[in-house]
Amino acid sequence: MSKQSGMESNQSDSANLLFSDILKGNERIVSFANVVISREKDITAGVLSVLDFTRVAFGLEQSSSLSDIIKSLQTEDTIEKSLAICYEWPDGLDIKLEEVYRVPLFERSLKRVSTKYSRPTPDWFTTVLEDLKTANSESSAAIVLTRYPEVIACLRLCNVVGPDVFVIFNPRGSDEQQAATLTFNTSIAQSVQRICSILPEKHDPVHGGPNWRTLPGGHCYGDIFVPRAISHDAQALEDSLMTSSLVALALQAELSALQRENHTLTTQNQLLENSVAKFEEELREEKIKADKAEHARSYKPPVKPTGQDTACAPWSNSYSKLASPSTGKTPWRAVVDSPTSQRTTITTRGINPDLEFSRHSSTETSQGRAFGDSSTSRRATTTREIDPDLEFARRLQATFDAEHMELQYQTDQLLQTAQRQYHCGICLDDFPEDDAVRVDSCGHDMCRDCARGHVSAKIDEHRFPVLCPVCMADHTNPNPGTFSRLLVESLGVSEEQYKTWEEMEMAQFSVLVNCRKCQNSAFVDRGDHEATNELRCPVLGCDHVWCRKCQQSIDPNSTTHSCDGASELDHLMKERGWKYCPNCKTPIQKQDGCDHMVCIAPGCNTQFCYLCGVIVTRTVVAQEINAGKMAHFRVCPPR
């Protein structure tokens, strides 16, 4: 017991010495040679280990002081506990940190605050370590740094009475030292220097400069975590167990579905392979049949004579072409060759399998003059039967002739039904006849694109009617064709262009009038518009009337309108009882006094009676005016 107590006392003294040395600002590194993740493991094992180490460290913080936390973290049991989770992880499975974090074990104890991404430079590491304090100023925080294939965790342990302690956990160690390591210090600069040694910045081997966006492993991710409030009661543990069970069941169900899908795909693949093998076998059989047919088509049987005249040399038959006897197209010719180059040709129109052919060859020989002239006729008769191969060839020839006639008939039918091509005289291209457009008034044809472009250009220029471009090229044509409404609709012009076309087309027979009262426009018949001077608004509900010449409004209840206002003035004077000067027709109104009126127009000097309108006198002499007044008003009846 005393020996064990002494060992525990030595370990406690060593831990206290380590803690005090760390608070003085010295960097301390603790290695665990027997506890390490193999570098052959994938990156997921490293993610599991650093997340579990962070979870364990946050759990110690809730029930221990800073010195006790450091004492617990530097023990081999804590490191083994953190790495135990990745020992069971199978090789070859690689998932991202986001998916690992969703495991209930980590999601219930860790809270991810933010994710950062940049080059693994000292400045960036300094920034993210400073962010650990702003992420959670009252308690500890951690950042998981990932740069493939390395993963480390850096914890900031909050110290109330002194500087914060940074703990760097590297589960893989280095290439030189295969051991998990813990690094303790209180300086951000020292921590950054240590992180840069574990996660050095990679450089482009070609150009020699940093190219972190293109190099694999040239960038670094940083995920900042803070602890969650963990409840250790039975209900919380039961809820966590239930959540984990549901996740496991969901994964099992997904695995079963994938296995069933794999079985189905395997079965379908096997069926397809069997079908392919069957088709390949059928293809080989068809090729064999085709080769046999080709061989039979090109086969020429030899001629075997059954008899030979002793006086004649051997001869042979050659059949240039076989044809069906029923068609009679190509006769069958048998050619007999003799040693004296004399050739006899026998032509037959039909072939009978039971027919026997005879070949005769006659040769005349002349003896020497010493014996006199004499001739001897020799005849050799050769009888032979038709070979079965010849009969087969005859049938093949007949089949070939029938197929040839059928193919010729089908070719003629296709040529008759084939779509004809049309040559556009504007763009000089060939098009199917269905794409041609014909101007009905002149009968000229052109392709649809040329017609559409011509009509669109004329509509944009507000030219109407649109003339045929072929007729326009012929300056001697006095009556060029025009495009109709139906033809323009079939060309597919835009909606705005077609609206402009309608307006120009209606302008031939109508006039667009604008009502100043209702502010609407409408087309009216051109003949009706020109036949009257008084225009009435065609819009329903508007009774505005105006003059076509002067565009002035007209009162429907008044007298006849005049553009100079004379009719309106006559109506007004008759209505008010006003009078015109009988000499210069100047309107004059009597306000009061007698009926003797004097025209106020310059140079008129007319004196007239306002009652009857008769001129009394035209003078400025007072005596003459008085005399005229006396003479008129003696006879003018009073009112």
Side-chain angles (χ1 to χ4, degrees):
M1 294 294 293
S2 61
K3 184 177 180 180
Q4 183 177 1
S5 299
M7 293 178 62
E8 293 178 354
S9 176
N10 293 333
Q11 292 178 357
S12 178
D13 294 340
S14 176
N16 292 330
L17 181 61
L18 174 66
F19 179 68
S20 61
D21 196 17
I22 293 172
L23 293 182
K24 291 179 182 179
N26 297 324
E27 183 182 54
R28 296 298 300 270
I29 300 176
V30 181
S31 300
F32 304 91
N34 298 326
V35 184
V36 67
I37 299 179
S38 175
R39 301 191 68 83
E40 297 178 356
K41 285 277 189 179
D42 55 23
I43 193 172
T44 306
V47 172
L48 287 171
S49 62
V50 296
L51 286 179
D52 200 31
F53 175 80
T54 305
R55 179 186 65 83
V56 172
F58 286 166
L60 293 173
E61 185 183 21
Q62 294 185 357
S63 59
S64 304
S65 62
L66 180 60
S67 60
D68 294 336
I69 294 173
I70 294 178
K71 292 177 183 178
S72 300
L73 290 179
Q74 68 172 345
T75 61
E76 188 172 338
D77 294 338
T78 302
I79 303 302
E80 287 182 348
K81 183 179 179 181
S82 301
L83 299 183
I85 189 173
C86 62
Y87 291 151
E88 302 297 331
W89 182 256
D91 295 336
L93 295 180
D94 187 11
I95 58 178
K96 298 180 180 179
L97 184 140
E98 291 82 359
E99 299 175 355
V100 178
Y101 169 69
R102 294 193 186 100
V103 175
L105 176 66
F106 301 130
E107 193 173 20
R108 292 179 63 86
S109 58
L110 304 177
K111 178 182 179 182
R112 186 167 63 175
V113 178
S114 62
T115 300
K116 300 182 181 298
Y117 164 80
S118 180
R119 295 168 53 189
T121 60
D123 294 338
W124 185 72
F125 288 138
T126 303
T127 302
V128 296
L129 291 184
E130 291 175 351
D131 291 342
L132 291 180
K133 189 171 184 179
T134 59
N136 191 2
S137 59
E138 298 179 356
S139 62
S140 301
I143 182 170
V144 176
L145 297 173
T146 306
R147 196 213 64 191
Y148 188 86
E150 304 294 338
V151 182
I152 64 173
C154 181
L155 281 72
R156 182 189 65 83
L157 301 179
C158 184
N159 188 6
V160 181
V161 296
D164 296 339
V165 178
F166 291 93
V167 182
I168 302 173
F169 174 57
N170 183 11
R172 294 180 183 270
S174 61
D175 295 334
E176 296 80 8
Q177 183 180 7
Q178 297 292 329
T181 59
L182 282 176
T183 304
F184 299 90
N185 55 60
T186 58
S187 172
I188 293 180
Q190 292 180 354
S191 301
V192 169
Q193 185 177 2
R194 179 59 55 186
I195 293 174
C196 289
S197 65
I198 301 173
L199 306 176
E201 182 180 7
K202 293 186 177 181
H203 297 277
D204 191 346
V206 178
H207 300 88
N211 193 7
W212 62 281
R213 288 186 176 86
T214 58
L215 285 177
H219 51 272
C220 184
Y221 292 92
D223 296 273
I224 298 178
F225 295 91
V226 295
R228 291 182 187 269
I230 303 176
S231 177
H232 297 284
D233 57 356
Q235 183 63 35
L237 294 176
E238 184 178 355
D239 294 342
S240 178
L241 180 61
M242 181 180 295
T243 304
S244 302
S245 301
L246 291 176
V247 172
L249 289 175
L251 292 176
Q252 185 64 32
E254 185 177 357
L255 177 61
S256 300
L258 291 176
Q259 289 177 349
R260 289 193 298 270
E261 184 178 359
N262 183 40
H263 178 71
T264 302
L265 293 176
T266 303
T267 304
Q268 293 178 355
N269 187 29
Q270 185 64 34
L271 293 176
L272 291 175
E273 289 180 355
N274 295 337
S275 300
V276 170
K278 181 179 178 181
F279 290 149
E280 289 179 351
E281 183 64 25
E282 293 178 356
L283 181 60
R284 283 194 295 269
E285 293 179 357
E286 292 296 331
K287 286 184 177 180
I288 293 174
K289 292 180 181 179
D291 293 340
K292 290 182 178 180
E294 182 66 24
H295 178 70
R297 190 180 299 111
S298 60
Y299 176 71
K300 295 182 179 180
V303 178
K304 299 179 180 180
T306 57
Q308 182 176 0
D309 194 351
T310 56
C312 299
W315 57 274
S316 61
N317 291 336
S318 62
Y319 302 92
S320 60
K321 187 175 182 182
L322 297 177
S324 173
S326 60
T327 59
K329 288 184 177 180
T330 305
W332 181 25
R333 299 179 181 272
V335 182
V336 181
D337 295 337
S338 64
T340 57
S341 300
Q342 294 179 352
R343 180 171 297 176
T344 304
T345 302
I346 302 174
T347 303
T348 61
R349 291 293 179 180
I351 300 177
N352 192 338
D354 299 330
L355 182 63
E356 294 183 356
F357 296 93
S358 298
R359 299 291 182 265
H360 304 279
S361 176
S362 60
T363 306
E364 294 182 358
T365 58
S366 300
Q367 298 180 356
R369 294 182 179 180
F371 299 95
D373 294 335
S374 64
S375 62
T376 305
S377 298
R378 298 179 180 180
R379 177 174 299 177
T381 304
T382 303
T383 304
R384 58 185 296 272
E385 295 181 356
I386 296 179
D387 193 276
D389 292 336
L390 293 178
E391 177 64 18
F392 178 70
R394 184 189 65 79
R395 293 176 182 175
L396 287 178
Q397 182 66 33
T399 304
F400 171 77
D401 291 340
E403 292 178 354
H404 177 72
M405 294 178 63
E406 180 65 23
L407 290 176
Q408 187 65 33
Y409 174 76
Q410 293 179 2
T411 303
D412 295 340
Q413 293 295 323
L414 289 175
L415 291 176
Q416 293 178 3
T417 58
Q419 190 175 16
R420 298 180 181 178
Q421 294 291 319
Y422 164 75
H423 182 75
C424 178
I426 299 177
C427 63
L428 304 179
D429 287 337
D430 294 331
F431 300 93
E433 283 190 347
D434 293 345
D435 196 42
V437 174
R438 171 166 293 182
V439 182
D440 296 333
S441 56
C442 61
H444 288 145
D445 296 333
M446 65 197 72
C447 70
R448 188 173 298 274
D449 293 338
C450 292
R452 185 188 302 110
H454 176 70
V455 171
S456 299
K458 295 302 179 182
I459 291 177
D460 294 339
E461 296 174 1
H462 289 80
R463 298 289 184 87
F464 191 86
V466 179
L467 303 180
C468 172
V470 180
C471 295
M472 293 173 62
D474 185 7
H475 300 289
T476 60
N477 188 358
N479 297 316
T482 58
F483 283 80
S484 62
R485 172 194 287 264
L486 295 178
L487 184 56
V488 173
E489 289 179 355
S490 64
L491 292 178
V493 296
S494 64
E495 185 176 353
E496 295 181 357
Q497 290 177 338
Y498 187 73
K499 184 177 180 181
T500 305
W501 170 275
E502 288 183 334
E503 293 178 357
M504 293 190 300
E505 189 178 32
M506 293 182 65
Q508 286 185 307
F509 311 101
S510 58
V511 177
L512 182 66
V513 294
N514 301 310
C515 178
R516 292 186 295 177
K517 182 178 180 181
C518 64
Q519 300 298 323
N520 290 323
S521 301
F523 285 95
V524 298
D525 185 80
R526 182 179 294 274
D528 296 342
H529 180 268
E530 295 177 354
T532 180
N533 291 329
E534 295 183 1
L535 301 180
R536 186 178 299 273
C537 180
V539 179
L540 186 64
C542 181
D543 56 353
H544 183 227
V545 181
W546 69 95
C547 178
R548 180 174 64 87
K549 294 182 179 180
C550 64
Q551 299 296 317
Q552 297 296 323
S553 299
I554 299 176
D555 186 3
N557 300 323
S558 64
T559 58
T560 305
H561 168 74
S562 60
C563 295
D564 57 356
S567 299
E568 287 80 359
L569 181 60
D570 289 341
H571 177 73
L572 180 62
M573 293 185 67
K574 290 179 181 179
E575 185 180 18
R576 300 292 179 89
W578 300 341
K579 302 294 182 179
Y580 286 106
C581 172
N583 180 41
C584 65
K585 303 301 181 182
T586 300
I588 296 177
Q589 177 186 4
K590 173 185 173 183
Q591 294 182 350
D592 54 16
C594 64
D595 293 330
H596 173 239
M597 306 300 294
V598 179
C599 181
I600 60 175
C604 183
N605 301 324
T606 301
Q607 314 282 330
F608 66 96
C609 177
Y610 192 79
L611 180 62
C612 62
V614 177
I615 297 177
V616 176
T617 182
R618 292 187 61 191
T619 181
V620 294
V621 180
Q623 293 82 359
E624 294 179 357
I625 294 174
N626 292 330
K629 289 169 55 178
M630 295 296 293
H632 174 74
F633 286 106
R634 287 195 188 102
V635 297
C636 182
R639 289 185 180 179

